[in-house]
Amino acid sequence: MRQHAFGRLLMKIFVAVFLFYMLMPLVIMGGAALNNSRFPSIYPWVGFTGRWFEDLWADTRMWTAIRNTLLVALSVVALAVPIGTAAAILINGIDARARGFLYGVMIAPILTPGVVIGISTLLFWNAFNAPAGLWLSVLGQVSFIAAYVMLLVLARLQSFDPLLEEAALDLGASHTQVMRRIVVPHLYPAIGAGALIAFFQSVENFNVTLFTKGNSDTLTVYVFSKTRSGITPTINALALSLIALTVIGAIVYEITRRRAERRAMEEAAAAAAAEDADLAAAGPLATPAAA
């Protein structure tokens, strides 16, 4: 009993230390965004201010970087999702020896440092006299982000029953119809998760983008350039704004999910009640016990 209490105490201490380690830097960063000091620090506390958010709002370069970031991220999603999905379906359908080889080829970019991917992408396209720019950042990011999509879709395919595919073909469906009406609908959750991961992987990418962006800026490169020229509390204001947007998005998602779950439970309960009412109206001979 005493050992059990000691174990729970250790668990509480671990959780407290873990939360402190994870959240304290964010608290300090958020406090620096509200401190009326030209240095990004909470000590000494000069006074509460919102001028760093005003400076950030008036920074046209930052808005251009955000627009470029969203443009690149959406383009990466549009390319990485079909490539990763097709690769997963192909790997799942070929023989074991070729599967291992193709799987290794697709996974290799994830294990490769981003600097190497960025330099190799730049050198490869320079051989074709293709200039650097945002489109090159898209191609460089797709080369490894598609592998994340492939892993998610491949995991989903492990729960797919191939007998459904064979049954549809025996009933006269074409391979296109089987793919469109049976395989792809089964993969929708993994494809959606892969699209989200591809989007956020692109938004936070720095190494590949730095070598391939040309004269354009994305958000990560913009933050890097600000730190090189002398960091100001506007960076803290930007980080605090992104955290606030993330928290709001997570809360909205959780509320929506709980409402959908509660609605599904209410519909199931209503359907069960209606079925019981129909059985009661049909009389005692219709019930299984009476039978």
Side-chain angles (χ1 to χ4, degrees), residues 5-27:
F6 182 70
R8 286 191 301 178
L9 177 62
L10 287 180
M11 181 61 69
K12 291 180 180 178
I13 293 175
F14 171 77
V15 172
V17 172
F18 178 78
L19 291 178
F20 179 84
Y21 178 77
M22 293 294 292
L23 298 180
M24 205 57 195
L26 300 180
V27 172

Side-chain angles (χ1 to χ4, degrees), residues 131-264:
L134 294 178
W135 71 274
L136 200 58
S137 299
V138 172
L139 295 180
Q141 292 181 16
V142 167
S143 64
F144 72 95
I145 291 178
Y148 291 106
V149 180
M150 183 207 70
L151 289 175
L152 289 172
V153 176
L154 196 58
R156 179 70 176 175
L157 279 172
Q158 302 305 314
S159 63
F160 180 72
D161 187 358
L163 293 178
L164 294 176
E165 190 175 358
E166 296 177 6
L169 292 173
D170 290 342
L171 292 174
S174 64
H175 287 280
T176 303
Q177 290 174 324
V178 170
M179 184 64 63
R180 183 164 55 88
R181 297 191 176 184
I182 298 178
V183 178
V184 173
H186 179 75
L187 299 178
Y188 277 159
I191 292 175
L196 284 177
I197 288 181
F199 180 83
F200 289 112
Q201 282 282 336
S202 174
V203 168
E204 70 172 9
N205 181 263
F206 173 73
N207 292 330
V208 176
T209 307
L210 182 64
F211 288 97
T212 56
K213 68 180 184 59
N215 295 323
S216 302
D217 274 344
T218 61
L219 194 58
T220 53
V221 176
Y222 164 80
V223 172
F224 175 70
S225 64
K226 296 286 284 185
T227 57
R228 291 186 63 189
S229 60
I231 188 169
T232 67
T234 56
I235 297 299
N236 298 75
L238 174 62
L240 186 60
S241 301
L242 292 176
I243 291 174
L245 288 175
T246 303
V247 172
I248 292 172
I251 292 174
V252 170
Y253 169 78
E254 184 63 20
I255 292 175
T256 305
R257 188 191 65 81
R258 290 190 179 188
R259 285 181 177 176
E261 185 178 351
R262 184 167 60 249
R263 191 181 305 115

Side-chain angles (χ1 to χ4, degrees), residues 5-130:
F6 182 70
R8 286 191 301 178
L9 177 62
L10 287 180
M11 181 61 69
K12 291 180 180 178
I13 293 175
F14 171 77
V15 172
V17 172
F18 178 78
L19 291 178
F20 179 84
Y21 178 77
M22 293 294 292
L23 298 180
M24 205 57 195
L26 300 180
V27 172
I28 293 176
M29 182 196 64
L34 302 173
N35 188 11
N36 191 18
S37 170
R38 64 188 182 90
F39 299 106
S41 172
I42 60 173
Y43 182 81
W45 183 260
V46 180
F48 181 83
T49 183
R51 68 168 174 150
W52 306 121
F53 293 92
E54 297 174 359
D55 292 347
L56 183 66
W57 184 265
D59 191 347
T60 56
R61 185 186 169 195
M62 186 270 296
W63 289 110
T64 303
I66 290 178
R67 185 200 61 190
N68 291 340
T69 301
L70 294 177
L71 180 64
V72 170
L74 293 176
S75 301
V76 168
V77 171
L79 290 177
V81 169
I83 291 175
T85 303
I89 294 174
L90 177 63
I91 290 175
N92 190 63
I94 59 179
D95 62 88
R97 184 175 302 177
R99 182 186 308 156
F101 172 76
L102 188 57
Y103 182 83
V105 170
M106 287 295 297
I107 289 297
I110 295 181
L111 306 176
T112 305
V115 176
V116 175
I117 294 178
I119 294 175
S120 59
T121 302
L122 185 64
L123 294 178
F124 176 78
W125 287 102
N126 276 345
F128 298 95
N129 295 322

Side-chain angles (χ1 to χ4, degrees), residues 259-284:
R259 285 181 177 176
E261 185 178 351
R262 184 167 60 249
R263 191 181 305 115
M265 292 177 64
E266 291 174 353
E267 291 176 355
E275 184 177 359
D276 292 342
D278 291 341
L279 290 175

